[in-house]
Amino acid sequence: MYVVLGANGRAGGEVARALIERGEAVRVVLRSKEQGEKWTALGAEVAVATIEDADAMADALKGASGAFLLNPPPVSGDPYARTEEFGAALSGAAPRARLPKAVVLSSIGAQHASGTGVIATLNRFEALLDGVAPATVFLRSGYFVETWGEVAQTVMSESVLPTFIEPSQRIPMVSTIDVGRAAAAVLCEEWTGKRVVELAGPEDWSAGAVASAFAEVLGRPVVPVPVPPERRAALLAEEGVPGEVANALLGMYEGIAKGLFMHQNGSEHRRGTISLMTAIERVVARLNQPTADLH
């Protein structure tokens, strides 16, 4: 039986689905029992715990053959302080539960301790969870293609793609479907010690390529429009992003611009199979049918 954190989020949900599709027994860890109805319907067990509660988390991890662990995306407060809290709780809970195997979600670029904004929190998270289980993989994902869904409404209404990434700059991107499949596959492998596995899509893509994919799906031109650095903080504030979180996100885009969002030599490199077009089609479908289960 495998335990999955963050099952109602982008990556965790795909991991849980991929494991269920493989015929594995799954326990999802959620903040409330009510959040688990769809998972119960899929045959998963539901445990209620918050990541910062080490005692509850240890109970949720008991009896597992392995677990998918993550540092939740920051929505409020100090992302660096929250990383310390979550990392300390998990590093204490997993050994108490005798967790034999863990796949920890991280990011390409997490080899850098600074200069990458919010990605630097994952450098620290990796350090806190080093040795969290006798067999541990840090799964460093590329930029989620599904993140572009946050500006999909603007794309659909104005035929422009606002971007904090220079339109021609190719970076490792990947669909969360591939993240889920890769994490499930690694969890079912046998290994000992620590591994770093970097995951990207079939090829690296640019914001310009994303705009072209939207254009293909929508059947009309879509133009990538870079947001000037001096305008970005105000834009995030207008969208209600708290200041500390916004600063961490802006630091990430500065790191991307400086070329720090790149593979690390010596790590395992894997590529998924989901095309950019397929991922963007799903982004658009979700926007058109926000309440539908499109998996």
Side-chain angles (χ1 to χ4, degrees):
M1 184 270 295
Y2 294 100
V3 172
V4 177
L5 272 59
N8 283 345
R10 286 176 178 152
E14 297 295 352
V15 176
R17 288 184 182 89
L19 286 166
I20 291 169
E21 288 172 1
R22 293 173 70 104
E24 302 292 345
V26 172
R27 178 189 298 156
V28 297
V29 183
L30 304 171
R31 287 183 171 271
S32 69
K33 199 75 174 177
E34 293 71 28
Q35 293 179 325
E37 292 180 359
K38 68 178 180 181
W39 294 109
T40 301
L42 291 173
E45 180 181 337
V46 176
V48 177
T50 57
I51 295 178
E52 59 267 37
D53 185 339
D55 292 335
M57 193 57 60
D59 288 340
L61 292 171
K62 282 181 180 175
S65 302
F68 175 76
L69 309 178
L70 50 67
N71 185 23
V75 294
S76 63
D78 180 351
Y80 304 94
R82 294 293 278 170
T83 296
E84 294 289 336
E85 182 180 14
F86 293 143
L90 287 173
S91 65
R96 286 165 53 190
R98 299 182 183 275
L99 183 68
K101 188 190 303 183
V103 171
V104 181
L105 182 63
S106 186
S107 172
I108 288 175
Q111 67 267 31
H112 302 292
S114 62
T116 56
V118 71
I119 295 175
T121 66
L122 296 173
N123 175 277
R124 178 59 180 158
F125 195 62
E126 288 190 16
L128 290 167
L129 269 63
D130 193 359
V132 71
T136 303
V137 161
F138 293 106
L139 181 61
R140 293 182 180 171
S141 166
Y143 189 95
F144 291 169
V145 174
E146 288 75 9
T147 302
W148 295 101
E150 296 169 7
V151 295
Q153 187 62 64
T154 299
V155 174
M156 295 182 70
S157 62
E158 302 178 24
S159 294
V160 299
L161 177 80
T163 173
F164 288 5
I165 301 172
E166 198 281 319
S168 65
Q169 183 182 5
R170 291 162 62 94
I171 64 170
M173 296 188 200
V174 65
S175 170
T176 53
I177 298 173
D178 278 331
V179 175
R181 291 173 179 173
V186 173
L187 276 170
C188 294
E189 294 173 3
E190 294 298 327
W191 81 95
T192 57
K194 181 178 80 171
R195 294 160 58 193
V196 173
V197 176
E198 295 186 331
L199 177 69
E203 59 184 292
D204 290 353
W205 296 307
S206 65
V210 173
S212 296
F214 270 111
E216 186 78 16
V217 172
L218 298 176
R220 63 177 187 268
V222 173
V223 179
V225 178
V227 178
E230 64 273 13
R231 175 77 181 104
R232 294 174 184 175
L235 182 61
L236 292 177
E238 290 169 8
E239 295 175 353
V241 180
E244 289 178 306
V245 175
N247 288 337
L249 292 174
L250 293 173
M252 175 184 71
Y253 289 105
E254 290 173 4
I256 290 174
K258 293 175 181 176
L260 298 180
F261 191 73
M262 298 300 291
H263 295 287
Q264 181 180 27
N265 292 333
S267 61
E268 299 178 40
H269 297 164
R270 299 190 184 189
R271 286 195 178 273
T273 61
I274 301 300
S275 69
L276 182 58
M277 182 69 63
T278 297
I280 294 300
E281 283 176 344
R282 189 172 70 148
V283 166
V284 172
R286 281 184 163 180
L287 196 62
N288 288 331
Q289 301 177 20
T291 60
D293 183 0
L294 298 166
H295 294 278

